[in-house]
Amino acid sequence: MSLEQQITDDLRAAMKAGEALRRDTLRMLIAALKNERIERGEDLDEATVMSVVRRGVKSRKDSAEQYRNAERPELAEKEEAEIGILEGYLPQMLDEAATAELVEKAIADTGAAGKSDIGKVMKAVMATHRDVIDGKLVNRLAADRL
């Protein structure tokens, strides 16, 4: 079963179970997928669907951070709950220790020596691990190391 079909089936199940937050989150995700399909003018492959889900997670993380800064914890908690729902459709992300190992290897492989080489390190790490690694974490670890 495709990821897109799984999302649609989960929406139906959420509607039947009366899970309002899950239902609304999946509806927004399906709308984003439809917009992407219209923009591309073709059916979406699994990688594109995962990319749309990842964008939704990133957007909600940014929103939750802004809500916390504005002292609106109830809205931040709602965004974080939506993140939890969306992350269920993504592969498990690497933890900080595993990411640090990949950054160290990329630094050694690329010969990065200073802050100006962060882009090289990012490119090397993200090329092979884009689906299971957090880019912000890679950037922070590379900046700390260099």
Side-chain angles (χ1 to χ4, degrees), residues 5 9-10 13 17-18 21 24 26 28 37 45 49 55-56 61 65 73 75 94 100 105 117 119 129 131 133 135 143:
Q5 184 60 47
D9 291 349
D10 289 351
L21 179 66
D24 295 345
L26 294 177
M28 285 188 273
R37 185 177 303 109
D45 59 357
V49 173
R55 270 195 314 250
K61 282 183 180 179
E65 183 179 329
L75 295 175
L94 294 177
K105 183 177 182 316
D117 294 330
H129 297 87
D131 292 339
I133 203 161

Side-chain angles (χ1 to χ4, degrees), residues 6-140:
Q6 178 67 42
I7 292 167
T8 304
D9 291 349
D10 289 351
L11 171 62
R12 278 193 207 106
M15 290 170 69
K16 288 180 182 177
E19 299 171 354
L21 179 66
R22 185 171 191 79
R23 178 198 65 210
D24 295 345
T25 302
L26 294 177
R27 279 183 176 165
M28 285 188 273
L29 177 58
I30 289 171
L33 291 169
K34 285 181 182 179
N35 288 338
E36 186 73 19
R37 185 177 303 109
I38 291 168
E39 187 175 306
R40 290 176 177 254
E42 60 188 22
D43 284 341
L44 304 177
D45 59 357
E46 290 295 307
T48 307
V49 173
M50 289 181 77
S51 173
V52 171
V53 174
R54 228 178 264 107
R55 270 195 314 250
V57 169
K58 183 179 184 302
S59 170
R60 284 168 177 82
K61 282 183 180 179
D62 292 342
S63 296
E65 183 179 329
Q66 290 175 3
Y67 286 138
R68 291 240 181 261
N69 292 339
E71 298 179 13
R72 299 291 308 267
E74 69 283 355
L75 295 175
E77 289 168 7
K78 180 180 182 284
E79 294 291 329
E80 289 163 353
E82 290 178 2
I83 290 168
I85 292 168
L86 294 177
E87 284 181 338
Y89 297 103
L90 296 174
Q92 185 65 36
M93 301 296 269
L94 294 177
D95 64 357
E96 189 165 343
T99 303
E101 289 178 24
L102 291 172
V103 169
E104 289 294 328
K105 183 177 182 316
I107 288 171
D109 291 349
T110 61
K115 298 260 188 216
S116 61
D117 294 330
I118 289 177
K120 289 181 188 176
V121 174
M122 290 283 299
K123 185 176 180 181
V125 173
M126 298 306 282
T128 56
H129 297 87
R130 178 171 303 284
D131 292 339
V132 293
I133 203 161
D134 180 14
K136 284 184 179 180
L137 179 59
V138 172
N139 189 309
R140 182 177 55 83

